Each structure stands twice: as structure tokens, then as C-alpha cells.
DNA sequence: ATACATGCAAAGAATTTGCAGCTTG
DNA sequence: CAAGCTGCAAATTCTTTGCATGTAT
């Protein structure tokens, strides 16, 4: 657990957003000017593999990272790109029943229009 | 609808697999040596945006493409990488009930070990 | 000390794009 | 003929990696 990794983790925990590697890098650099982009990518990958954080592939643009690796779904607004967590209870059980074997993990992204964008569109 | 696009579509419909852009390009080139990689990427993107085909982002490696855009889930074997379609009835309704608005589309990928890999592991 | 992590910069993989020329309707 | 698509290659974008040096235990 180096200073760099600790900082990356803190930044993720403090932000309510799902940041990209580069956003995390920018914030990290503001507090630790010597940190390298490669270090951020390396640590994010390590933490992801260790199951400490989650990675979220986006339809456009770079991956975003999730401070928790616990499985849950995401709501993605097709218009403004806002991303929200959503619990999806029952999904795993339902699917395990259907396929007859264990689900190791899953990624679920629901595309919709968030309340804010929906309202603006209706005018 | 150019010759090139028609060929790309045919190749996708003929294959049972979810191919990457480059796999499609290779197959296309075998039948039409002049076709360019850029053309394949361009057409795949156009067809995806037109809702004619689906795109599937993979945890490792390039995107794969789905001959149908109709929403359904995917089963991904973490060991051999095999990818299978899975119907997920009820999921959308359940989620629309929970979020109180329309689901425009969704992507669901279930990570598991396919029967084949499970068997080999147990030895 | 020793093993591992960093910073840097260059390489890599996947995808996109500018442009001149060709096709399609 | 006009609009749009192609082939080509160069450019972009995101991410990984080799290596010399620094750091933590």
C-alpha cells in the first residue's frame, strides 16, 4: 500500500462520481504533482483484479471506475451521460436458477433518460 | 446499402459467433480483397447506431458484434471466453417498475464458467 | 537489503478520420 | 449528376509496458 495507491483510493471514496482513469489522475496530480498516469492505470487495474473496486466499460469514452466491487447495476443517461448505481436484487438468483450454475459476477447497464433530461426534453 | 455493407451483414448472419470488427474484416477480405478495415468499422458503427446490430464491450480485447440488436443478456465464460445469448425476461419490466421510467436499452453480461470449463476444472 | 512500486516516455491496441476517387441511385 | 461511400494511411484515444530509480518493510 503505497502513498500513491492510498491517494487513488481516497479520491475514489470521496467522489460521488464514477471517474475515468484520467479524471482520477488529474485529481491525484493536484495533490501529488509527481504521480504518473501509468501509476494510476496500474493501480486501478491491480485493485480491480483484487476485487477492491469495479470497472465499468462505457459505450463512448474511457472506462469508469466504481469505488465498490459489490455487484450492482448502473443507470446510464443516454443524453447527459450521468451514471447512477442501482441495486438489482433477485437478478442473480433468477439467473442462477435459469442456467443451473453459479454466477461469478455480472455487469448490468440500463440506458435511460434521467429525470433532469426528460424534463428538459418535454419543453 | 453498398456491396460492402451487405457482405458484412451476411457474414454476421451466417456466423453463430459474436465476432470482433477485425474478425469480420478478415472474413470479408477473404471474399472481397479490396475491402478496407476502416469500412468495416464505419459500417458496424452505422448499423449499430441505426439499431440494426448490437455492440458488446468485452472486459479484455476488442468489442464484439451481435447480429441482433434486440435486447438480451450474455453469458460470458471467464475461462475460455465463450459468449452465449441468454433471454432475460422480466428484467426490464422489473426495473422500469423500480425506476419509474422507460428503459431505452440495456446491456447485461453474466460472468460464469461454462459447463465445458467447469468439467475440466474438476479433474 | 530486497522485493516491489514508481515516473517517464515510448509502444501498443483498437478505433476513427481526412481526403481523393469511385459507386449508387 | 449529386450524395454518399470506399480505400488508404495517418491520426487519435485509451491503456500498457520496459527500464532505471526510488521506496517500503
Amino acid at each position: 500500500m503505497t502513498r500513491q495507491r492510498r491517494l487513488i483510493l481516497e479520491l475514489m471514496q470521496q467522489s460521488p462520481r464514477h471517474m475515468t482513469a484520467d479524471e482520477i489522475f488529474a485529481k491525484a496530480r493536484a495533490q501529488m504533482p509527481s504521480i504518473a498516469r501509468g501509476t494510476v492505470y496500474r493501480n486501478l487495474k491491480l485493485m480491480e483484479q483484487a476485487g477492491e473496486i469495479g470497472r465499468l466499460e462505457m459505450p463512448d469514452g474511457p472506462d469508469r471506475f466504481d469505488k465498490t466491487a459489490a455487484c450492482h447495476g448502473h443507470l446510464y443517461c443516454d443524453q447527459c451521460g450521468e451514471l447512477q448505481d442501482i441495486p438489482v436484487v433477485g437478478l442473480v438468483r433468477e439467473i442462477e436458477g435459469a442456467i443451473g450454475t453459479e454466477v461469478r459476477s455480472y455487469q448490468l447497464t440500463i440506458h435511460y433518460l434521467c429525470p433532469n433530461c426528460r424534463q428538459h426534453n418535454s419543453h
Side-chain angles (χ1 to χ4, degrees), chain A:
Chain A
M1 174 65 71
T2 61
R3 269 180 319 128
Q4 288 83 344
R5 178 182 299 195
R6 194 165 13 248
L7 175 57
I8 292 169
L9 259 178
E10 280 171 20
L11 290 173
M12 292 183 71
Q13 280 157 2
Q14 283 162 20
S15 167
R17 301 201 41 248
H18 296 80
M19 293 186 286
T20 64
D22 253 38
E23 284 167 352
I24 294 171
F25 169 61
K27 289 205 190 224
R29 186 146 247 196
Q31 292 190 223
M32 185 190 288
S34 71
I35 198 172
R37 174 180 274 107
T39 300
V40 172
Y41 275 97
R42 251 185 306 232
N43 275 301
L44 288 171
K45 173 164 271 199
L46 285 173
M47 291 190 283
E48 184 207 353
Q49 287 169 345
E52 296 166 18
I53 62 172
R55 175 190 299 259
L56 204 46
E57 317 209 271
M58 303 304 299
D60 284 304
D63 294 353
R64 302 195 198 176
F65 293 85
D66 200 322
K67 72 195 72 172
T68 166
C71 261
H72 57 268
H74 288 96
L75 283 174
Y76 174 73
C77 175
D78 278 332
Q79 190 158 317
C80 69
E82 199 208 46
L83 200 58
Q84 248 192 295
D85 291 341
I86 178 183
V88 191
V89 291
L91 173 66
V92 168
R93 267 186 304 273
E94 181 190 328
I95 288 175
E96 287 187 331
I99 67 178
T101 183
E102 180 203 6
V103 168
R104 304 183 79 203
S105 67
Y106 65 88
Q107 307 159 231
L108 171 65
T109 305
I110 303 283
H111 290 246
Y112 82 137
L113 295 178
C114 71
N116 205 24
C117 289
R118 239 178 305 141
Q119 194 181 347
H120 291 150
N121 284 341
S122 63
H123 299 322

